[in-house]
Amino acid sequence: MREVFHDTLEDIQNRLVEVAELVAEAIEKATTAFTTGDVALAEEVIAGDERIDQMVLTTDEIAIETLAMQQPVARDLRIIVTVLRASASLERMGDLAEHIALLVRQRYPERAIPKGLKKTFKRLGELDVLVAKALVELLRTEDLRYSTQIRDTDDEIDELHASVYERVLGDSFGGEVSGAIDATLASRYHERFADHAVAISKKVVYLATGDWSGEEDVSTIEIVDENAS
Amino acid sequence: MREVFHDTLEDIQNRLVEVAELVAEAIEKATTAFTTGDVALAEEVIAGDERIDQMVLTTDEIAIETLAMQQPVARDLRIIVTVLRASASLERMGDLAEHIALLVRQRYPERAIPKGLKKTFKRLGELDVLVAKALVELLRTEDLRYSTQIRDTDDEIDELHASVYERVLGDSFGGEVSGAIDATLASRYHERFADHAVAISKKVVYLATGDWSGEEDVSTIEIVDENAS
C-alpha cells in the first residue's frame, strides 16, 4: 500500500516537471517568434496552451485525491501542498507565453517590436528562457541553487522591464502609439513570467527545507547563460 | 479535540473572508483614486498592501499546519485545499489594486486617465468593486449565485477592456503616448482583478459541490449594481 502511494507521489512530481518543461518550450518559442516575427511558431504556442491547462487540471486532481485518500504526512504532505500551490503559477506562465505569441499574430506581417527595442527584447526573451529552464531543474532536482539563479535573473529582468518604460515614454521614442503599447504589454508579460517562477521557487524552498520564508540562500548558479554579455 | 479542530477551520475560513474584505476595500479606494486623482487615497492603498500579504501568509501557514496535524477529510479537507488555492489569487488582487494606486501616484498632480476614457474607467472601477464585494459574499456564504454574478460581471469587464485598446489604438485618440500606456496598463489591471475573482469562484464551487469543473450554474444575482445604466 505504501509503495503504491509513493508511486503516486512520484507520478505527481513528474507531472509538475512535465508541465514546467512544456512551459519552458512555450516561452522559448514565443520569445523567438516575438523577436523574429515567425508567426507559425507563435501559432504553435497558441495551439499548445490548452495542453498545459489540461495537464495542470489533471495534476491538481490527482494531488487532491491523494491528499484525501492517503492522508500523507511530513515531506509527503509538503510535496502535495507544493504541487497545489505551484500548479496555478505554471499555468499562468503558459498563459503569458501565449500572450506574447498573440502579439506576434496580431501584428503580423509587421513585427511587434518597436524600433530601438529589439536588443532589449532579445535579452528579455533569453532571460525568461533561462528562468524557465532553471525552474524545470529546480522542480526536478530540488537543488536550491536553481532558486538563487531564478531570483538573480528576475532582478535583471526587472531592470530591463523598467528600461522599456523609460524608453517608450522618453522624448527620443519615435515610434507610434501602437508600438509603445505593444512594447509595454510585451515587457510586462516577460516580467510577470519571471515573477511567477520566483513565486514557485519560494514554494520549492519550503518543500525542501520546511522553511516558510522561502528565502533560503545558496550561491552557485547552474544553468549556463550562454548569451550573457 | 474535534471541536478545537472545527474552531480552527472556522478561523481559517474567517481569515480568508477578512482578506477578501481588505481586497474589496483596496480596490474601492484605488479605483476611486484613479478616477478622481485623489493621491492621498492612493497612498492608503499602497501602504495597506503589506497587511494583505501578511494575512495571506499567516492564513496559508495555519492551513498547512492544520492539514499536517489534523488530517482532515471530506468537506474539511476541501476547505483547506480551497484556502490554499484561493489565497494566492487574493494576494494578487491586492497587488493589482496597488498597481492602480501606483499609477495615480506616478502621474500626480496630473490625472492618469486620458481624455475620452473617463467614463469607461469609472465603469470598470465600479464593476471591479462589484466583483470584489460578490467575492466576499461568496466566501462568506458559499451561495453559488455570487459565483454566477462574478462571471457575468467579468464578461462585461472584458468587453470594456477590449474597448479601451480599440480606443487608444484608434485614429481618433488624440492623447499622448504616456496616456495610451497608462490606459493600457490600467485597463489590464482592472481586467486581471476580475479574472482572479473568477478563478477563486471556481474553487469555491468545488468546495461547495465537489465538482471539479467549477462550472456550476445558478441564476439569480445578489449584489446590487447601483450604477448599472
Side-chain angles (χ1 to χ4, degrees):
Chain A
M1 187 61 190
R2 295 307 283 178
E3 200 145 327
V4 173
F5 174 39
H6 276 99
D7 281 358
T8 312
L9 267 187
E10 212 184 304
D11 173 51
I12 292 171
Q13 284 190 289
N14 288 342
R15 279 170 190 274
L16 201 68
V17 172
E18 211 179 314
V19 174
E21 282 168 346
L22 287 176
V23 167
E25 207 182 296
I27 196 70
E28 187 149 27
K29 285 181 182 171
T31 54
T32 304
F34 191 70
T35 46
T36 60
D38 184 340
V39 75
L41 205 55
E43 294 294 348
E44 271 182 50
V45 176
I46 296 162
D49 191 54
E50 176 66 24
R51 190 170 157 217
I52 293 174
D53 293 351
Q54 272 307 321
M55 282 188 60
V56 166
L57 204 62
T58 312
T59 309
D60 275 1
E61 272 181 32
I62 301 175
I64 297 181
E65 240 167 65
T66 309
L67 206 51
M69 308 301 282
Q70 311 280 0
Q71 312 241 325
V73 294
R75 187 182 143 78
D76 295 347
L77 175 64
R78 290 213 302 272
I79 289 174
I80 306 275
V81 168
T82 303
V83 168
L84 286 175
R85 299 168 88 214
S87 64
S89 286
L90 274 173
E91 185 188 344
R92 189 67 203 137
M93 289 170 81
D95 289 346
L96 289 164
E98 189 189 11
H99 283 344
I100 293 170
L102 283 167
L103 282 177
V104 179
R105 177 202 270 177
Q106 212 175 347
R107 292 290 164 247
Y108 185 80
E110 304 290 314
R111 295 257 181 103
I113 305 181
K115 276 173 210 141
L117 282 169
K118 197 171 169 185
K119 218 171 128 184
T120 306
F121 274 108
K122 189 159 179 290
R123 187 69 189 140
L124 273 172
E126 287 163 1
L127 292 173
D128 265 3
V129 171
L130 206 64
V131 158
K133 287 184 175 169
L135 185 60
V136 171
E137 290 311 307
L138 177 65
L139 292 171
R140 205 174 53 79
T141 64
E142 278 173 49
D143 181 337
L144 298 187
R145 288 173 296 182
Y146 292 113
S147 163
T148 311
Q149 180 177 23
I150 289 168
R151 268 179 292 156
D152 290 346
T153 312
D154 177 55
D155 291 342
E156 203 179 329
I157 290 171
D158 286 347
E159 277 173 36
L160 281 173
H161 175 55
S163 81
V164 170
Y165 279 13
E166 277 167 32
R167 181 110 178 81
V168 295
L169 288 173
D171 292 334
S172 65
F173 182 72
E176 308 220 345
V177 172
S178 69
I181 291 176
D182 283 353
T184 301
L185 287 176
S187 180
R188 185 157 170 83
Y189 298 151
H190 283 82
E191 181 241 349
R192 289 292 304 153
F193 185 89
D195 282 351
H196 283 287
V198 170
I200 295 172
S201 77
K202 286 188 182 172
K203 290 168 176 70
V204 177
V205 170
Y206 158 74
L207 169 63
T209 66
D211 173 21
W212 261 108
S213 69
E215 299 297 343
E216 179 83 359
D217 226 325
V218 193
S219 56
T220 320
I221 282 173
E222 292 285 298
I223 296 253
V224 179
D225 175 8
E226 290 163 359
N227 307 293
S229 49
Chain B
M1 187 64 189
R2 295 306 283 179
E3 200 146 327
V4 174
F5 173 40
H6 275 100
D7 280 358
T8 312
L9 266 188
E10 211 184 305
D11 173 51
I12 292 171
Q13 284 190 289
N14 288 342
R15 279 170 190 273
L16 202 69
V17 172
E18 212 179 315
V19 174
E21 283 168 346
L22 287 176
V23 167
E25 207 182 297
I27 196 70
E28 186 149 27
K29 285 181 183 173
T31 54
T32 305
F34 191 70
T35 45
T36 61
D38 183 341
V39 75
L41 205 56
E43 293 295 346
E44 272 183 50
V45 176
I46 296 161
D49 190 55
E50 177 65 24
R51 191 170 156 217
I52 294 174
D53 292 352
Q54 272 307 321
M55 282 188 61
V56 165
L57 204 62
T58 311
T59 308
D60 275 0
E61 273 181 34
I62 301 175
I64 297 181
E65 241 167 64
T66 309
L67 206 50
M69 307 302 282
Q70 311 280 1
Q71 312 241 325
V73 296
R75 186 181 144 80
D76 295 347
L77 175 63
R78 290 213 303 271
I79 289 174
I80 305 275
V81 168
T82 303
V83 168
L84 286 174
R85 300 167 89 214
S87 63
S89 286
L90 274 173
E91 186 189 344
R92 188 67 203 138
M93 290 170 81
D95 288 348
L96 289 164
E98 189 189 11
H99 283 345
I100 293 171
L102 283 167
L103 281 177
V104 179
R105 177 202 270 177
Q106 213 175 345
R107 292 290 163 247
Y108 185 79
E110 304 289 315
R111 295 257 180 103
I113 305 181
K115 277 173 208 140
L117 283 169
K118 200 172 164 182
K119 216 171 130 186
T120 306
F121 275 108
K122 189 158 179 291
R123 187 68 189 141
L124 273 172
E126 287 163 1
L127 293 173
D128 265 3
V129 170
L130 205 64
V131 159
K133 287 185 175 170
L135 185 60
V136 170
E137 290 311 306
L138 177 65
L139 291 171
R140 205 172 55 78
T141 64
E142 279 172 48
D143 180 338
L144 298 186
R145 287 174 295 181
Y146 292 113
S147 162
T148 310
Q149 179 176 24
I150 289 168
R151 268 181 290 157
D152 290 347
T153 312
D154 178 56
D155 290 343
E156 203 179 329
I157 291 171
D158 286 347
E159 277 174 35
L160 282 173
H161 175 56
S163 81
V164 170
Y165 278 14
E166 277 168 30
R167 180 106 178 83
V168 296
L169 287 173
D171 292 334
S172 64
F173 182 71
E176 308 219 344
V177 172
S178 69
I181 291 176
D182 284 353
T184 302
L185 286 176
S187 180
R188 184 156 170 83
Y189 298 151
H190 282 83
E191 180 242 349
R192 289 293 303 151
F193 185 90
D195 282 350
H196 282 287
V198 171
I200 295 172
S201 77
K202 286 188 184 172
K203 290 169 178 66
V204 177
V205 171
Y206 157 74
L207 169 63
T209 65
D211 173 21
W212 259 108
S213 68
E215 300 296 342
E216 179 83 1
D217 227 325
V218 193
S219 56
T220 320
I221 282 172
E222 291 285 298
I223 295 254
V224 179
D225 175 6
E226 291 163 359
N227 307 292
S229 48

